[in-house]
Amino acid sequence: MNLPNKLSLTRVILVPVMMFLYLAQFVPYGKFIAAGVFVLAAFTDFLDGYIARKYNLVTDMGKFLDAIADKMLVTCALILICCDATIPAPYGAIVLSIFIVRDLAVNMLRLIAANKNVVIAADKLGKYKTFTQDIALPMLMVFAGLKLIEGINETFMTVFMWVGYGILIASTVLSVVSLVHYMIKNKAVFTENK
């Protein structure tokens, strides 16, 4: 297993660590530490891709593992901030549903493509979607932690919250647009071999 793949695997391992820290009320500043773990895990996403391209270490396993690790990180972080109503109902459920349906559809597309010996790598729209998720989700995790601290300026909290929500909305729109783009770009995958 090469270094980029090890970094992707590290990202998978960091997901339950992040979830534990976020949920463990007995851990001081757990939500802030969990947000830091998210940022560290997201950085490994950038790092593994950079190393893989620079040193020509791109593998099919790496493409698969990288995509799975990304989905785990983002989906679990979003579940956390939906469960504690950091994103109020029903909006959290709607955003979570869009992210999950988008990821399932892209994964099914990749599975069909793999059966035809075609590997579908992430495209630029998918990367923009991931980038905005990687900003919005730790921001909202930090916001959840800030809500537990008394005496913080209300204007600061309101601005911080709406910036986080705004970036998450942009990410949600990019999720839908990138899904449509994937389907159109790879429509040949759905053609039956005669």
Side-chain angles (χ1 to χ4, degrees), residues 85-131:
T86 299
I87 304 174
Y91 307 109
I94 293 169
V95 172
L96 181 60
S97 298
I98 289 171
F99 283 5
I100 289 174
V101 167
R102 184 262 182 205
D103 290 342
L104 283 173
V106 170
N107 287 341
M108 290 301 103
L109 176 64
R110 286 190 169 123
L111 184 61
I112 293 168
N115 286 335
K116 299 184 177 186
N117 297 317
V118 176
V119 175
I120 299 174
D123 65 2
K124 284 186 178 180
L125 278 173
K127 290 182 188 298
Y128 296 150
K129 181 264 308 175
T130 300
F131 179 72

Side-chain angles (χ1 to χ4, degrees), residues 109 112-113 115-116 118 183-194:
L109 176 64
I112 293 168
N115 286 335
K116 299 184 177 186
V118 176
M183 293 301 176
I184 293 172
K185 181 180 175 184
N186 298 289
K187 62 185 176 183
V189 168
F190 296 106
T191 59
E192 297 294 332
N193 294 326
K194 303 266 177 167

Side-chain angles (χ1 to χ4, degrees), residues 3-171:
L3 179 57
N5 292 352
K6 287 178 181 176
L7 287 169
S8 293
L9 192 58
T10 299
R11 193 153 67 257
V12 171
I13 293 166
L14 286 174
V15 170
V17 174
M18 173 193 72
M19 295 186 76
F20 170 79
L21 290 167
Y22 190 90
L23 295 171
Q25 297 180 3
F26 59 87
V27 177
Y29 305 106
K31 289 184 178 9
F32 298 106
I33 301 169
V37 171
F38 182 100
V39 171
L40 175 64
F43 178 71
T44 67
D45 181 27
F46 161 77
L47 194 58
D48 68 20
Y50 174 78
I51 292 171
R53 287 186 297 273
K54 182 170 182 178
Y55 297 102
N56 197 25
L57 296 173
V58 177
T59 63
D60 287 349
M61 178 185 176
K63 290 175 183 176
F64 172 78
L65 194 56
D66 179 64
I68 293 298
D70 293 345
K71 305 302 180 276
M72 282 182 63
L73 179 64
V74 167
T75 303
C76 290
L78 188 53
I79 287 170
L80 290 172
I81 59 176
C82 285
C83 286
D84 68 3
T86 299
I87 304 174
Y91 307 109
I94 293 169
V95 172
L96 181 60
S97 298
I98 289 171
F99 283 5
I100 289 174
V101 167
R102 184 262 182 205
D103 290 342
L104 283 173
V106 170
N107 287 341
M108 290 301 103
L109 176 64
R110 286 190 169 123
L111 184 61
I112 293 168
N115 286 335
K116 299 184 177 186
N117 297 317
V118 176
V119 175
I120 299 174
D123 65 2
K124 284 186 178 180
L125 278 173
K127 290 182 188 298
Y128 296 150
K129 181 264 308 175
T130 300
F131 179 72
T132 52
Q133 286 174 336
D134 290 348
I135 295 171
L137 294 174
M139 274 190 76
L140 292 172
M141 292 168 81
V142 167
F143 175 70
L146 290 172
K147 288 195 300 184
L148 301 176
I149 301 173
E150 292 182 13
I152 296 180
N153 182 280
E154 286 187 28
T155 303
F156 170 78
M157 288 289 286
T158 301
V159 170
F160 194 91
M161 176 188 72
W162 282 109
V163 170
Y165 286 169
I167 298 171
L168 188 66
I169 290 167
S171 181

